[in-house]
Amino acid sequence: MTAEEVMHEMAVILDEVAGVSADQVAMDKSFTDDLEVDSLSMVEVVMAAEDKFGVKIPDEEVKNLRTVGDAVNFIVKSS
Amino acid sequence: MSAHTRVVVTGLGLVTPLGLDVQSTWQAVMDSKSGVRALTEDWASDINSRIAGAIDADLSNVIDKVAARRMDRSSQFAVIAAKQAVADADILSNVDPLRLGVAFGTGIGGLSTVLQQMEILAERGPDRVNPLTVPMIMPNAAAALIELEIGAKAGAHAPVSACATSAEAIAWGTLMIRTGRADVVVVGGTEAVINRLAMAAFAAMRAMSNRNDDPATASRPYDTGRDGFVMSEGAGALVLESLDHAKARNARIYAEIAGYGMTSDAHHIAAPDPDGAGAARAMLAAVADAQSQLSDVVHLNAHATSTPLGDIAEATAVRRAFGSHADRIAVTAPKSSIGHTLGGAGAIESILTILSLVNRVIPKTINISDFDANVELDVVKDAHREIASSEILALNNSFGFGGHNVCIAIRSY
């Protein structure tokens, strides 16, 4: 999957799990500061992304995923 | 006895199988409708009781979808009903959050979520369990979510006493205002356990009706053919307010919570005390707490769940408490229309009692084709009955497994 495709799917997940509208989602946006995804919702986002992309995102990696771009790049690299 | 701080009702909210708000539910009760349908879902096919008062309406118009994801269905109903009640009372911009409380319960809680997560745990493992499971299944979830929704900071409580739960919540809210902890309290209760385990479990107790071929008439309190209660789901919410606070802001006042009585049977974990002594004590305590006379009571909204033993035990208790004055109390059993919403019932039925006082009419109990002569009560059954325009006192009974008896005394205002 390309970064663009992953980013599109991440926007779908963020809308469903946290009510973030797709036009807010961009590579440089921070999950907590910009998109107001709380820590429990972040766990849900990670679980949904793991299911969607067939990857494993370990807990110790999640804290490094500050922005949407961090997550997209991790997923592209792992899948 | 010194006078209590007077507590009045200034807002109402309902989510029931008869309607997603107060007006539609009351209209359906007045139209003698039943909210009960056949459970045609696959999971119910081998359960003895396959009927329920299920809410089929789409909730997405009345609750935010992301918020709903984080709530058990029982909490969704609770939040919807509470939002209606606070809007009806126009209270949120008219109360100090430090003086605003919550008392809201559920009989069983997030069982449907437990079952969903158990399935995920079994099929996909612990890593796939929803991180919000704990706040979804905790019994205080509804109270906490309402507290968050309305910004209540005086305290949020979640009384739990099976099918007496939300009547007990009304009592706790009244107590919070009387003792000066709050000026306004949102009270009520909710339930949503029309699922395979709860239906199987109540069926195993032989507590539910098996009249599967005729759902609309299955809940038939006081009829000789009654064979158990009908499971239902829903929530009721009331805004309680000190009379002084309500008057100062010129609020519309529906009725007064004049008193309450709460007792326990110490008889059996599930069966009612056939003597009705504990239930009678609750009714007497409610009238005394209202600083009224037994002869002031003109209406009883009964617990009457349509079980063979329970309906008789309550009738016996009424006779025991009121003696010959029982002949002058007009009784109705709204579970004939709604079914039994367990932890939601006390609040839903107190709201119906209040609407009877406001509209001066007692809706008839439906589905009585052969009245049980062992029930020595004046049951409103053939037609709705008008009530006098004078000041009157009505009672609402709620009893729960465990021998919990709660009676709320409501005075017209």
Side-chain angles (χ1 to χ4, degrees):
Chain A
M1 261 186 160
T2 67
E4 200 175 330
E5 286 164 341
V6 171
M7 162 85 176
H8 175 75
E9 294 297 334
M10 283 299 287
V12 173
I13 289 170
L14 282 162
D15 172 44
E16 198 171 302
V17 170
V20 177
S21 70
D23 55 7
Q24 286 181 275
V25 180
M27 293 292 268
D28 63 343
K29 290 288 172 70
S30 154
F31 287 109
T32 49
D33 299 340
D34 299 322
L35 305 180
E36 295 178 351
V37 177
D38 69 22
S39 60
L40 286 176
S41 287
M42 193 62 199
V43 179
E44 281 195 281
V45 169
V46 166
M47 283 168 56
E50 288 180 333
D51 285 347
K52 174 79 80 180
F53 304 112
V55 299
K56 178 76 192 147
I57 308 176
D59 279 358
E60 56 273 21
E61 191 60 45
V62 172
K63 62 180 181 293
N64 300 326
L65 307 180
R66 198 183 65 80
T67 65
V68 175
D70 294 339
V72 168
N73 292 332
F74 181 86
I75 290 162
V76 170
K77 187 161 53 93
S78 316
S79 59
Chain B
M1 201 190 311
S2 64
H4 300 298
T5 299
R6 293 176 69 187
V7 176
V8 294
V9 180
T10 57
L12 304 174
L14 279 178
V15 177
T16 76
L18 294 175
L20 286 193
D21 57 28
V22 171
Q23 187 52 41
S24 56
T25 298
W26 175 250
Q27 190 57 51
V29 168
M30 292 304 291
D31 291 343
S32 302
K33 289 195 173 141
S34 165
V36 179
R37 68 159 167 85
L39 282 179
T40 51
E41 291 83 345
D42 286 345
W43 59 258
S45 61
D46 57 352
I47 294 171
N48 286 338
S49 179
R50 295 183 297 279
I51 46 177
I55 294 174
D56 296 318
D58 178 13
L59 301 180
S60 67
N61 295 324
V62 285
I63 190 162
D64 174 72
K65 89 173 174 178
V66 174
R69 269 179 67 88
R70 308 178 77 138
M71 297 178 198
D72 181 74
R73 183 169 170 83
S74 58
S75 293
Q76 295 177 14
F77 293 158
V79 168
I80 294 167
K83 283 173 78 170
Q84 290 173 10
V86 297
D88 187 37
D90 186 25
I91 192 64
L92 292 189
S93 55
N94 292 300
V95 64
D96 175 356
L98 295 171
R99 303 288 301 160
L100 175 61
V102 177
F104 212 98
T106 172
I108 297 179
L111 182 62
S112 300
T113 298
V114 170
L115 296 174
Q116 284 160 9
Q117 296 305 316
M118 278 301 295
E119 202 170 307
I120 290 170
L121 181 62
E123 288 176 5
R124 306 190 57 206
D127 288 352
R128 283 294 170 270
V129 169
N130 186 331
L132 287 150
T133 301
V134 171
M136 286 170 82
I137 68 177
M138 59 193 192
N140 59 315
L145 288 159
I146 293 167
E147 163 224 319
L148 282 166
E149 176 70 34
I150 66 174
K153 298 184 178 176
H157 306 281
V160 173
S161 48
C163 304
T165 289
S166 53
E168 187 167 338
I170 295 171
W172 283 118
T174 303
L175 190 66
M176 283 179 83
I177 294 172
R178 285 182 179 178
T179 54
R181 289 184 54 214
D183 295 319
V184 179
V185 185
V186 175
V187 302
T190 187
E191 207 73 73
V193 288
I194 301 176
N195 60 49
R196 185 161 162 76
L197 178 59
M199 293 297 291
F202 280 108
M205 293 182 89
R206 310 294 188 266
M208 291 198 296
S209 172
N210 294 340
R211 197 178 287 266
N212 297 317
D213 53 353
D214 194 5
T217 72
S219 186
R220 45 200 309 137
Y222 306 131
D223 184 84
T224 53
R226 67 188 185 279
D227 69 334
F229 80 87
V230 174
M231 174 74 85
S232 188
E233 62 180 356
L238 303 86
V239 174
L240 305 188
E241 190 165 0
S242 76
L243 178 61
D244 289 347
H245 195 273
K247 274 185 169 170
R249 68 181 188 92
N250 249 332
R252 182 253 338 267
I253 294 172
Y254 285 105
E256 177 178 3
I257 303 297
Y260 60 81
M262 295 195 276
T263 66
S264 47
D265 283 342
H267 170 72
H268 187 271
I269 191 63
D273 178 352
D275 292 341
R281 283 188 294 120
M283 287 183 262
L284 293 172
V287 175
D289 190 41
Q291 302 183 353
S292 292
Q293 308 300 317
L294 295 182
S295 56
D296 293 335
V297 177
V298 301
H299 172 42
L300 169 66
N301 190 300
H303 184 63
T305 61
S306 184
T307 61
L309 288 180
D311 292 8
I312 294 285
E314 184 179 18
T316 303
V318 173
R319 211 23 89 171
R320 187 180 183 110
F322 290 94
S324 62
H325 179 67
D327 294 335
R328 304 176 68 88
I329 300 174
V331 177
T332 197
K335 289 184 183 77
S336 61
S337 292
I338 295 176
H340 192 357
T341 53
L342 312 183
I348 291 170
E349 292 165 15
S350 282
I351 290 170
L352 295 177
T353 309
I354 289 165
L355 293 172
S356 277
L357 296 182
V358 169
N359 295 299
R360 297 287 166 172
V361 60
I362 299 167
K364 70 177 183 184
T365 305
I366 66 170
N367 296 333
I368 300 177
S369 53
D370 181 29
F371 185 71
D372 184 346
N374 294 315
V375 176
E376 292 183 67
L377 296 175
D378 175 17
V379 175
V380 178
K381 60 187 193 319
D382 300 317
H384 304 326
R385 193 179 302 175
E386 290 186 15
I387 33 183
S389 59
S390 53
E391 182 181 291
I392 51 175
L393 194 70
L395 302 181
N396 175 224
N397 276 345
S398 297
F399 311 131
F401 282 172
H404 308 271
N405 308 299
V406 181
C407 179
I408 305 295
I410 304 168
R411 190 179 284 125
S412 59
Y413 190 88

